[in-house]
Amino acid sequence: MSSNPYRGIKFHLHECAGEFDGMLSDDIIIWAFSCVYNTTECSEETAKAFLTKLVFVSEPLRGMPWWREGGTLSAQPSFAPTLQQQMENVEQIDRLAVMQQHVDETKAIMHNNIENILERGDKIEDLQEEAHKLNVAAKVFKKNAKKVKRFKMLQNAKHGVLVGTAVTGVVGVCIIPPLIALL
């Protein structure tokens, strides 16, 4: 079973009737624009672009009486040449739609790249700030380490003097009296 390659798009335009034939009206006119396209030959974006263009091209004509009150195909003679011209331009519209899609994709990629660069720049700044803090902390640590080293050396020197004095005193007490007695 093969799938049908034809798809349709319908677009409604709601418009206030406004003033027509010198009379004001609160009525709403609903214009329907539709398009059937072959998905193997035309993209959905192209069909949407075609309908959008028809809405804008038909805008000045929608105020004409045969467009508002005429029967089936009453606008055909006035709009057929314009419609034919727009249908011939579908390939060009398709190429423009593809190019626009590429431009949009490129813009999205560039936007992501810029965001990534800005995030990376923020991270680099954070790393630099952390490195500066670590450098300051290292200097403080080195300064405190020198103080502790000097304090310990002074403590060791004091203990050395005390131990040396005590040993000298003990030796003096133990050795000097027998030497004096011998003499």
Side-chain angles (χ1 to χ4, degrees), residues 41-59:
E41 297 175 10
C42 180
S43 69
E44 183 178 348
E45 294 300 319
T46 302
K48 286 179 182 177
F50 176 72
L51 282 180
T52 304
K53 191 153 188 176
L54 284 182
V55 169
F56 288 115
V57 167
S58 65
E59 185 176 5

Side-chain angles (χ1 to χ4, degrees), residues 117-168:
I117 288 171
L118 292 175
E119 287 176 11
R120 192 178 85 202
D122 291 342
K123 288 178 183 177
I124 289 174
E125 288 175 1
D126 291 344
L127 287 173
Q128 286 176 337
E129 186 176 323
E130 285 295 320
H132 178 70
K133 287 178 182 177
L134 286 173
N135 194 14
V136 168
K139 287 180 182 178
V140 168
F141 179 79
K142 186 176 180 180
K143 183 178 175 184
N144 287 340
K146 281 185 181 180
K147 283 183 183 178
V148 168
K149 185 178 178 181
R150 284 187 189 136
F151 178 76
K152 284 295 184 183
M153 282 178 29
L154 185 60
Q155 287 289 347
N156 288 340
K158 285 181 185 177
H159 287 108
V161 169
L162 285 175
V163 169
T165 304
V167 168
T168 305

